[in-house]
Amino acid sequence: DAGVIQSPRHEVTEMGQEVTLRCKPISGHNSLFWYRQTMMRGLELLIYFNNNVPIDDSGMPEDRFSAKMPNASFSTLKIQPSEPRDSAVYFCASSFREWNTEAFFGQGTRLTVV
Amino acid sequence: QKEVEQDPGPLSVPEGAIVSLNCTYSNSAFQYFMWYRQYSRKGPELLMYTYSSGNKEDGRFTAQVDKSSKYISLFIRDSQPSDSATYLCACAYSGAGSYQLTFGKGTKLSVIP
């Protein structure tokens, strides 16, 4: 298996633009997680899905952030409009079960908003 | 106070040394305790997982959990340059239809040949 696949690996965008990050989880995993990592705040859970249904989005910082999982093999995290403080590395992770003791992370998307 | 506190380091040790990495947590509801390793510009990968208090050993790595003092540790024996990475502790609980996983900020470790 290729593991969790995220795209793009790097994204540089101007403030105010819409950004869409994509994730393909490992086949057969039924839980998917979006994290954001910064030096200041470390790794933070933004939202997680179980069987394609959003379970907890309390970590989503603002209404500018939205996430979807239209099917078991694809998820998106969208930021609209983007701001410089959104600059971070965004990780997607998947696991067999909701209690992601064995979560597998993607390589991350490094987002820079200028 | 963050729920999971971890000294960010950096920590630099000579090859072959024993490394001790530690975290404290404040939420007594945490049931699962994990250590992840993250190489530069990569995603975290699960290294060790323990449930409740006790020790768990895997090769050169030993994870310890002391729920009474809310303290978790990772020991690396005979450290190797390939162990150079950032180590993140993580604590989790589930209940009431939800799930909570909280990471420490990570400790950057360098093992010098």
Side-chain angles (χ1 to χ4, degrees), chain A residues 68-87:
Chain A
K68 294 182 179 179
M69 192 165 185
N71 56 62
S73 59
F74 184 67
S75 178
T76 59
L77 178 68
K78 185 176 293 187
I79 309 172
Q80 165 64 19
S82 58
E83 296 183 3
R85 59 194 169 115
D86 301 330
S87 298

Side-chain angles (χ1 to χ4, degrees), chain A residues 9-10 33 35 37 39-43 45 48 55-56 91 98-103 105-107 110, chain B residues 2 32 34 36 38 41-46 49 88 92 94-95 97-105:
Chain A
R9 290 293 310 278
H10 302 274
F33 307 81
Y35 289 91
Q37 187 175 41
M39 289 290 290
M40 288 294 294
R41 300 176 67 89
L43 198 62
L45 178 65
Y48 80 90
I55 302 299
D56 186 350
F91 287 103
E98 188 173 4
W99 307 349
N100 67 336
T101 55
E102 297 182 50
F105 282 75
Q107 298 269 48
R110 184 173 296 272
Chain B
K2 279 183 67 70
Y32 308 91
M34 291 146 274
Y36 282 80
Q38 185 175 20
R41 296 188 177 273
K42 300 287 188 182
E45 56 179 346
L46 183 66
Y49 151 69
L88 302 106
S94 67
S98 187
Y99 170 81
Q100 181 70 39
L101 174 67
T102 304
F103 282 86
K105 285 191 176 182

Side-chain angles (χ1 to χ4, degrees), chain B:
Chain B
Q1 179 193 10
K2 279 183 67 70
E3 284 192 300
V4 180
E5 297 279 359
Q6 184 176 8
D7 186 339
L11 182 62
S12 184
V13 301
E15 182 176 354
I18 296 174
V19 176
S20 174
L21 304 169
N22 309 292
C23 288
T24 58
Y25 64 93
S26 58
N27 190 340
S28 58
F30 286 137
Q31 304 160 296
Y32 308 91
F33 306 92
M34 291 146 274
W35 285 94
Y36 282 80
R37 178 175 60 193
Q38 185 175 20
Y39 290 113
S40 179
R41 296 188 177 273
K42 300 287 188 182
E45 56 179 346
L46 183 66
L47 193 60
M48 300 282 285
Y49 151 69
T50 53
Y51 173 70
S52 194
S53 284
N55 292 0
K56 186 171 185 177
E57 189 173 321
D58 184 0
R60 296 184 295 109
F61 299 88
T62 300
Q64 286 185 352
V65 176
D66 182 348
K67 291 190 75 177
S68 63
S69 58
K70 298 187 177 65
Y71 196 82
I72 59 177
S73 302
L74 178 70
F75 298 96
I76 307 174
R77 292 183 299 279
D78 188 25
S79 57
Q80 303 295 308
S82 59
D83 296 328
S84 298
T86 295
Y87 290 80
L88 302 106
C89 61
C91 306
Y93 73 83
S94 67
S98 187
Y99 170 81
Q100 181 70 39
L101 174 67
T102 304
F103 282 86
K105 285 191 176 182
T107 300
K108 186 171 184 179
L109 172 68
S110 296
V111 181
I112 310 303

Side-chain angles (χ1 to χ4, degrees), chain A:
Chain A
D1 198 318
V4 176
I5 299 173
Q6 291 186 245
S7 64
R9 290 293 310 278
H10 302 274
E11 176 79 31
V12 180
T13 190
E14 291 186 348
M15 181 174 63
Q17 296 297 306
E18 177 180 296
V19 176
T20 299
L21 311 181
R22 296 172 175 80
C23 175
K24 176 177 167 50
I26 293 173
S27 177
H29 284 188
N30 58 18
S31 294
L32 183 139
F33 307 81
W34 282 101
Y35 289 91
R36 178 172 68 176
Q37 187 175 41
T38 61
M39 289 290 290
M40 288 294 294
R41 300 176 67 89
L43 198 62
E44 301 173 287
L45 178 65
L46 300 177
I47 184 171
Y48 80 90
F49 295 83
N50 200 37
N51 294 321
N52 311 337
V53 176
I55 302 299
D56 186 350
D57 65 354
S58 59
M60 297 285 261
E62 300 171 33
D63 290 345
R64 299 184 295 106
F65 286 69
S66 62
K68 294 182 179 179
M69 192 165 185
N71 56 62
S73 59
F74 184 67
S75 178
T76 59
L77 178 68
K78 185 176 293 187
I79 309 172
Q80 165 64 19
S82 58
E83 296 183 3
R85 59 194 169 115
D86 301 330
S87 298
V89 181
Y90 290 81
F91 287 103
C92 175
S94 70
S95 69
F96 277 118
R97 52 186 184 272
E98 188 173 4
W99 307 349
N100 67 336
T101 55
E102 297 182 50
F104 294 83
F105 282 75
Q107 298 269 48
T109 294
R110 184 173 296 272
L111 173 65
T112 303
V113 183
V114 298

